[in-house]
Amino acid sequence: MLYEKLKQIKSLEQERMESTRLRVDQLIKPQGSLGKIEEIAIKLSGITGVAMPSLDRHAIIVMCADHGVCDEGIASAPQVVTLLQTLNISKRITGVGTLADPHKTKIYTIDIGVNAELNDPAVFSRKIRMGTGNISRGPAMSRSEAIKALEVGIEIAELAIKEGAKILGTGEMGIGNTTPSTAILSILTGASPYEITGVGANYPIEKLDYKASVIERAITINTPDSKDPLDILSKVGGLDIAGMAGVMIGGAANQVPVVVDGFISTIAALIACALEPNVKSYLFASHASHEKGAKLASTTLGLEPFLNLEMRLGEGSGAALAFNILEAACRMNSDMITFEESGIGVV
Amino acid sequence: MLYEKLKQIKSLEQERMESTRLRVDQLIKPQGSLGKIEEIAIKLSGITGVAMPSLDRHAIIVMCADHGVCDEGIASAPQVVTLLQTLNISKRITGVGTLADPHKTKIYTIDIGVNAELNDPAVFSRKIRMGTGNISRGPAMSRSEAIKALEVGIEIAELAIKEGAKILGTGEMGIGNTTPSTAILSILTGASPYEITGVGANYPIEKLDYKASVIERAITINTPDSKDPLDILSKVGGLDIAGMAGVMIGGAANQVPVVVDGFISTIAALIACALEPNVKSYLFASHASHEKGAKLASTTLGLEPFLNLEMRLGEGSGAALAFNILEAACRMNSDMITFEESGIGVV
């Protein structure tokens, strides 16, 4: 199913984008004066294939999973917080649920690998396994589990779209997940873990070198093939990261835009784009995460975030804030009049 | 009335901010991980004096006025565009009207000095005079006219608050208004007009030195006192700029937050803060304008914009996009649970 969906992903509809660009240039403003809002509107018409898309209903898909590498003491919070926060996210009482628009944004909370039995009707039960293996001692998961996790992402993306979402956001909850994310970034860019390892959820700065050494060990022991995204994902990745990459693939395959959140989400985007480069055309960056490796990850992905709020929470909290801006870009495209319609004539 | 309002502006309620900071630190997230969203929530409680303010209704006040200096050929659009766009703004078919939330944001369009008779019930008629004088040949307006324009801003801010607005945004429409704005910036910072003059609404780059020379002449001929904001405003300013500064003073005097938009709005903020430094505590920056002098203006004001969209339209278009983010910060404060409430205990 994964490969079938990857094949469905087309490049953007260039003719539609050209006609939208023409319209945007004729809107009643100095040409180019709405900057990236104009580019967003043009890209959205290319993604959706619609002249004047509307993004009035949003979904954030939060992938929740545990990370065996927590056994190495690389996280400041105990692993059980993943379980507790998964339940809280489904109740909309955490960061993402309160920042998201209460009337327009639905949150899908997915147990894709929480290390606990979790029977709550508000959480989608799609557990692949009880958290990943400890990557500093062996692989995170098998290759087939990585594929299954990607497919969960695709499935939930398609469910959200079926239920009305015009745009998707990607979020995660997984204590310890900056560690596999930084490992992936190191493999894809060649940067040393010692240069790019950050504090995640307030891990002590004085212990960062230790955290980097665990990441280095994970890479050394697993020897992932840097040209094979599934190999990287299964050996040093995470179920949450795989699920998010799946959401991006699912959105792209269905011509639905997907908002990348912060650091973990950007890493998932790098995996999704390594599997199929056309995925990138369907993505929008939201905020510039304050996590140390975030800037390198964004630069590598090649998408510039437009929100600078020094956030580093994850959960999809930055995506939640970006939706209204993308929606506004659609309104510019559909509701602003042209110089001709105004009777001014182009000035 | 101006001086009375200036006297009403208090410093923020420190105790309220401290108690909000305590709560924000206990919310169920790593401390500090929501970055500026946390700072926004704390500042908003200090502004409003309320533990959990809500910003569910917004107003953008668009000050429309003409600039006599257009006679020098410093704008690419003809002056009549100010009149036509004033009418269009009141119909919500321009940039600000389409980017603003259709359900939550009311737009007040004010004729504070359009150089034409304008009898439209959708536009507030508060004309001080038929545009300013040509600042490259004499003063923009008299000192008493500048005070009247500031008072119009205060009056309309108070009207919007009375009509339900919990937060105000400042916008403008005035062909040629980057010229007086750049003159004010030059006077306040000492920067040469040749270093900070930008293209405004697509003025030809090859003519920028000419535009700068007009600005330099305006400063030389009027010799404004750089320590007297009313002298600067009346000699090289604009009625739109004065009106916006008035809105900021009106918001601050009523403990209502005000969003600064782009370049012109930041210049108005510099004037308002020169009149009463406490105004600054009530202001939020929205987007980093792409106009050349904008960065210096923001740095001088000391408020860092959080949106990077390369916009340079004005009208309050950036403020329109910022409201939802400030509103989300309030929801974080009121709707997120604490660690204690969650039963996790602080981690």
Side-chain angles (χ1 to χ4, degrees):
Chain A
M1 184 265 246
L2 170 66
Y3 296 99
E4 186 193 308
K5 291 295 167 183
L6 287 170
K7 255 188 267 172
Q8 278 179 27
I9 299 170
K10 308 181 292 187
S11 54
L12 300 190
E13 299 198 7
Q14 291 302 322
E15 275 185 46
R16 179 65 77 191
M17 287 173 79
E18 269 321 299
S19 58
T20 302
R21 186 181 301 278
L22 268 175
R23 174 173 165 78
V24 167
D25 277 347
Q26 289 162 1
L27 295 176
I28 191 158
K29 57 176 176 51
Q31 277 194 14
S33 63
L34 282 176
K36 287 190 193 169
I37 290 289
E38 301 184 8
E39 296 308 317
I40 289 169
I42 292 163
K43 183 168 161 180
L44 282 168
S45 72
I47 289 173
T48 58
V50 172
M52 293 180 189
S54 159
L55 301 181
D56 53 349
R57 291 175 70 188
H58 329 142
I60 294 181
I61 299 170
V62 188
M63 292 292 175
C64 307
D66 273 306
H67 296 266
V69 72
C70 280
D71 288 353
E72 305 298 321
I74 46 67
S76 47
Q79 199 178 61
V80 68
V81 169
T82 302
L83 168 65
L84 297 171
Q85 281 294 71
T86 299
L87 295 168
N88 287 331
I89 286 168
S90 75
K91 293 179 191 146
R92 291 189 83 122
I93 52 180
T94 73
V96 65
T98 57
L99 293 178
D101 190 309
H103 303 297
K104 293 177 176 175
T105 307
K106 190 167 170 180
I107 294 177
Y108 294 76
T109 312
I110 320 298
D111 169 14
I112 194 167
V114 178
N115 187 19
E117 292 298 340
L118 199 161
N119 292 309
D120 189 298
V123 177
F124 288 81
S125 180
R126 295 291 187 282
K127 201 190 294 289
I128 307 284
R129 52 182 279 174
M130 286 284 195
T132 49
N134 180 343
I135 58 173
S136 78
R137 292 169 191 269
M141 62 189 111
S142 70
R143 192 174 178 98
S144 72
E145 285 168 333
I147 292 172
K148 265 190 224 163
L150 284 157
E151 290 178 344
V152 165
I154 296 169
E155 180 223 330
I156 301 289
E158 295 191 335
L159 174 68
I161 294 164
K162 201 178 148 194
E163 293 187 342
K166 308 285 181 55
I167 184 163
L168 309 176
T170 50
E172 42 56 49
M173 167 47 59
I175 297 301
N177 64 10
T178 56
T179 291
S181 298
T182 306
I184 293 173
L185 184 61
S186 171
I187 294 160
L188 290 176
T189 63
S192 156
Y194 294 91
E195 287 164 22
I196 60 175
T197 299
V199 297
N202 295 347
Y203 191 70
I205 290 180
E206 62 273 17
K207 289 170 74 181
L208 276 189
D209 270 1
Y210 167 70
K211 183 174 168 184
S213 77
V214 172
I215 292 166
E216 187 178 48
R217 188 144 38 96
I219 298 170
T220 314
I221 209 165
N222 283 296
T223 60
D225 175 358
S226 68
K227 301 288 177 220
D228 180 351
L230 284 176
D231 199 51
I232 300 171
L233 197 53
S234 52
K235 286 181 175 162
V236 304
L239 294 154
D240 42 3
I241 299 168
M244 293 169 98
V247 169
M248 295 173 197
I249 292 164
N254 289 278
Q255 294 189 272
V256 169
V258 184
V259 178
V260 177
D261 185 45
F263 180 55
I264 320 288
S265 179
T266 307
I267 298 300
L270 289 171
I271 292 288
C273 294
L275 285 163
E276 169 50 61
N278 270 333
V279 170
K280 187 180 148 185
S281 313
Y282 293 82
L283 303 180
F284 291 93
S286 55
H287 77 111
S289 162
H290 225 218
E291 173 67 8
K292 193 171 179 186
K295 197 170 164 69
L296 176 63
S298 284
T299 310
T300 307
L301 181 61
L303 288 178
E304 206 186 337
F306 50 81
L307 281 167
N308 281 277
L309 291 160
E310 298 175 6
M311 287 162 55
R312 51 184 173 84
L313 174 65
E315 299 183 9
S317 51
L321 295 175
F323 285 151
N324 280 320
I325 290 168
L326 300 175
E327 192 183 344
C330 291
R331 285 198 304 268
M332 173 204 71
N333 181 21
S334 58
D335 298 351
M336 231 174 129
I337 61 166
T338 62
F339 277 105
E340 201 181 328
E341 287 159 4
S342 81
I344 294 188
V346 179
V347 290
Chain B
M1 185 265 248
L2 170 65
Y3 295 99
E4 184 192 311
K5 292 293 165 184
L6 287 171
K7 255 187 268 172
Q8 278 178 28
I9 300 170
K10 307 181 292 187
S11 54
L12 301 190
E13 299 199 6
Q14 292 301 324
E15 275 185 45
R16 179 65 78 191
M17 288 173 78
E18 269 320 299
S19 59
T20 302
R21 186 182 300 277
L22 268 175
R23 173 172 166 79
V24 166
D25 277 347
Q26 289 163 1
L27 295 176
I28 191 158
K29 59 177 175 49
Q31 278 194 13
S33 62
L34 281 176
K36 287 191 193 169
I37 291 289
E38 302 184 7
E39 295 308 316
I40 289 169
I42 293 163
K43 183 168 159 177
L44 281 168
S45 72
I47 289 173
T48 58
V50 172
M52 294 181 188
S54 158
L55 301 181
D56 54 349
R57 292 175 72 189
H58 329 141
I60 295 181
I61 298 170
V62 188
M63 292 291 175
C64 306
D66 274 306
H67 296 266
V69 71
C70 281
D71 288 353
E72 305 297 321
I74 45 70
S76 48
Q79 199 178 63
V80 67
V81 170
T82 302
L83 168 66
L84 297 169
Q85 281 294 73
T86 299
L87 295 168
N88 288 330
I89 286 168
S90 74
K91 294 178 190 144
R92 290 189 83 119
I93 54 179
T94 73
V96 65
T98 58
L99 293 178
D101 190 309
H103 304 297
K104 293 178 177 174
T105 307
K106 190 165 172 183
I107 294 177
Y108 293 77
T109 313
I110 320 298
D111 169 14
I112 194 167
V114 178
N115 186 19
E117 291 299 340
L118 200 161
N119 292 309
D120 189 299
V123 176
F124 288 80
S125 180
R126 295 290 186 281
K127 202 191 294 287
I128 307 283
R129 52 182 280 175
M130 287 285 197
T132 50
N134 180 343
I135 58 173
S136 78
R137 293 168 192 271
M141 61 189 109
S142 70
R143 193 174 177 99
S144 72
E145 285 167 335
I147 292 171
K148 266 189 223 164
L150 284 157
E151 291 178 342
V152 165
I154 296 168
E155 179 224 330
I156 302 289
E158 295 191 335
L159 174 69
I161 294 164
K162 200 177 149 194
E163 293 188 341
K166 308 284 182 57
I167 184 164
L168 308 177
T170 50
E172 43 55 50
M173 167 49 60
I175 297 301
N177 64 9
T178 55
T179 291
S181 298
T182 307
I184 292 172
L185 184 62
S186 170
I187 293 160
L188 290 176
T189 63
S192 156
Y194 293 91
E195 288 163 21
I196 58 175
T197 299
V199 297
N202 295 346
Y203 191 70
I205 289 180
E206 63 273 18
K207 289 169 74 181
L208 276 189
D209 269 1
Y210 168 69
K211 184 175 167 184
S213 77
V214 172
I215 293 165
E216 187 178 48
R217 188 146 37 98
I219 298 170
T220 314
I221 208 165
N222 284 296
T223 59
D225 175 358
S226 68
K227 302 289 176 218
D228 179 353
L230 285 177
D231 197 52
I232 299 170
L233 196 54
S234 52
K235 285 181 174 163
V236 304
L239 294 154
D240 41 4
I241 299 167
M244 295 168 98
V247 169
M248 296 172 197
I249 292 164
N254 290 277
Q255 293 189 272
V256 171
V258 184
V259 178
V260 177
D261 185 46
F263 180 54
I264 319 289
S265 179
T266 307
I267 298 300
L270 289 172
I271 292 289
C273 294
L275 285 164
E276 169 51 61
N278 270 333
V279 170
K280 188 180 148 186
S281 312
Y282 294 82
L283 303 180
F284 291 93
S286 55
H287 76 110
S289 163
H290 225 218
E291 173 68 8
K292 194 172 180 187
K295 197 170 164 67
L296 176 62
S298 285
T299 310
T300 307
L301 181 60
L303 288 178
E304 205 185 337
F306 51 80
L307 281 167
N308 281 277
L309 291 160
E310 298 175 8
M311 287 161 56
R312 51 182 173 83
L313 174 63
E315 299 182 8
S317 49
L321 296 173
F323 285 151
N324 280 320
I325 290 168
L326 300 175
E327 193 182 343
C330 291
R331 284 198 304 269
M332 173 204 72
N333 181 21
S334 57
D335 298 352
M336 232 175 130
I337 59 166
T338 62
F339 278 104
E340 199 181 329
E341 286 159 4
S342 81
I344 294 187
V346 178
V347 292

